[in-house]
């Protein structure tokens, strides 16, 4: 059952991206955060653009054809499977989220190419064993997999728990796999960003901001792809995406040796 009285990160994020798959409670939280922290809309859009660039790199340059995308959010333009299958039609993608609305849309919109496959797991990111077991029905864990964690790790209240989840996921995939992380941070405008995060928490949609150093620590033991852990707009930008805005969101892509 969809809880229309409590905001959900996937739907608030959908509102910031200009989508229509949200409820009044999500829009209220979205508007409150935007009023206090206008950068959040730019962060949402830069994060979506990074997904496209990262998946394009993984398919075209790294040859990855399997993706485990945790914290999928509501389908919009250029979802992971669409970007991946444009480059590799037989690519397989497994999405994971725990919002019933995402599940409804996933069934209708996350259609795959005939050669590939797109599947959906209704699970909390903390339930690693269940996710891995279900994902094995679609993905071949003897071959490299890209583990995508965009905007999801901040939903885990405890940072050490988030690191443990990342380590467990990466331990389950073979050498040659990749980790992709993008998350909100607090450095350039730390006080304003934290105030907006506090507002979200009070409204029932908590999101923990990290430091850039904490984002970098997720990649411990992995080989970072250039340019390393950077502000999201600075990760291999397309010429038309060059943006001088300094936003509190960092990302990175790394390979498991």
């Amino acid at each position: 059952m969809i809880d229309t009285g409590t905001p959900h990160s996937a739907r608030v994020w959908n509102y910031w991206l200009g989508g229509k798959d949200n409820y009044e409670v999500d829009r209220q939280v979205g508007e409150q955060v935007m009023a206090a922290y206008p950068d959040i809309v730019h962060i949402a859009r830069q994060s979506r653009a990074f997904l496209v660039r990262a998946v394009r790199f993984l398919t075209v340059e790294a040859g990855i054809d399997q993706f485990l995308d945790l914290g999928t959010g509501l389908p919009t333009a250029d979802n992971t499977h669409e970007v991946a299958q444009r480059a590799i039609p037989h690519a397989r993608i497994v999405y994971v989220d725990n919002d019933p609305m995402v599940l409804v849309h996933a069934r209708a919109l996350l259609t795959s190419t005939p050669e590939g496959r797109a599947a959906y797991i209704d699970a909390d990111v903390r339930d690693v064993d269940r996710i891995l077991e279900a994902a094995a029905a679609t993905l071949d864990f003897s071959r490299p997999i890209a583990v995508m964690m965009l905007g999801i790790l901040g939903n885990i209240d405890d940072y050490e728990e988030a690191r443990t989840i990342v380590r467990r996921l990466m331990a389950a995939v073979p050498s040659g796999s990749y980790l992709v992380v993008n998350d909100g941070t607090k450095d350039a405008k730390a006080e304003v960003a934290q105030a907006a995060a506090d507002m979200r928490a009070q409204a029932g949609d908590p999101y923990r901001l990290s430091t850039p150093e904490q984002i970098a620590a997720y990649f411990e033991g992995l080989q970072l792809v250039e340019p390393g852990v950077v502000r999201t707009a600075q990760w291999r930008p397309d010429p038309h995406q060059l943006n001088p805005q300094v936003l509190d969101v960092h990302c990175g892509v790394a390979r498991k040796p």
Side-chain angles (χ1 to χ4, degrees):
M1 174 181 264
I2 298 174
D3 182 359
T4 62
T6 303
H8 190 283
S9 292
R11 301 193 303 261
V12 175
W13 198 256
N14 175 265
Y15 178 64
W16 288 332
L17 284 171
K20 298 179 181 179
D21 298 310
N22 44 73
Y23 295 110
E24 180 61 28
V25 66
D26 306 306
R27 294 188 285 274
Q28 288 176 357
V29 173
E31 286 291 338
Q32 289 170 4
V33 174
M34 286 166 57
Y37 189 39
D39 282 356
I40 194 65
V41 174
H42 301 295
I43 287 173
R45 292 172 182 170
Q46 283 194 6
S47 297
R48 172 57 55 163
F50 166 67
L51 180 152
V52 174
R53 299 196 305 275
V55 174
R56 193 169 60 212
F57 161 78
L58 289 165
T59 51
V60 175
E61 296 188 42
I64 297 295
D65 62 1
Q66 300 192 105
F67 294 80
L68 179 59
D69 187 340
L70 299 108
T72 307
L74 286 155
T76 180
D78 283 333
N79 301 291
T80 298
H81 73 287
E82 293 171 325
V83 181
Q85 291 179 346
R86 279 202 293 267
I88 302 179
H90 67 263
R92 293 189 166 208
I93 298 87
V94 171
Y95 292 102
V96 181
D97 209 298
N98 68 342
D99 181 5
M101 182 180 277
V102 175
L103 174 60
V104 170
H105 282 266
R107 287 171 173 161
L109 299 177
L110 297 182
T111 54
S112 170
T113 59
E115 306 96 319
R117 188 173 174 189
Y120 178 87
I121 300 171
D122 181 16
D124 189 284
V125 69
R126 297 169 185 83
D127 197 350
V128 175
D129 290 339
R130 179 184 173 198
I131 290 169
L132 293 173
E133 181 180 359
T138 301
L139 305 179
D140 178 357
F141 277 76
S142 70
R143 297 194 303 107
I145 295 169
V147 178
M148 310 279 292
M149 305 194 80
L150 279 65
I152 183 64
L153 290 168
N155 293 121
I156 302 166
D157 292 339
D158 183 80
Y159 172 66
E160 290 304 324
E161 182 184 5
R163 286 192 69 185
T164 298
I165 290 169
V166 172
R167 283 195 293 264
R168 290 179 65 195
L169 288 166
M170 294 311 296
V173 295
S175 174
S177 295
Y178 283 80
L179 173 65
V180 183
V181 172
N182 182 77
D183 244 332
T185 50
K186 48 182 178 182
D187 62 320
K189 300 178 182 178
E191 291 185 7
V192 178
Q194 188 59 57
D198 292 343
M199 186 180 299
R200 287 181 67 176
Q202 291 167 8
D205 180 34
Y207 186 89
R208 175 186 51 77
L209 295 174
S210 300
T211 64
E213 293 76 19
Q214 287 175 323
I215 299 292
Y218 288 128
F219 299 102
E220 183 178 353
L222 306 177
Q223 300 168 338
L224 278 164
V225 172
E226 290 295 334
V229 175
V230 294
R231 295 190 192 281
T232 298
Q234 297 171 347
W235 198 90
R236 302 188 174 210
D238 294 330
H240 69 280
Q241 291 176 336
L242 292 172
N243 192 329
Q245 272 188 303
V246 176
L247 298 176
D248 279 324
V249 59
H250 283 69
C251 69
V253 177
R255 182 181 183 275
K256 181 175 179 177

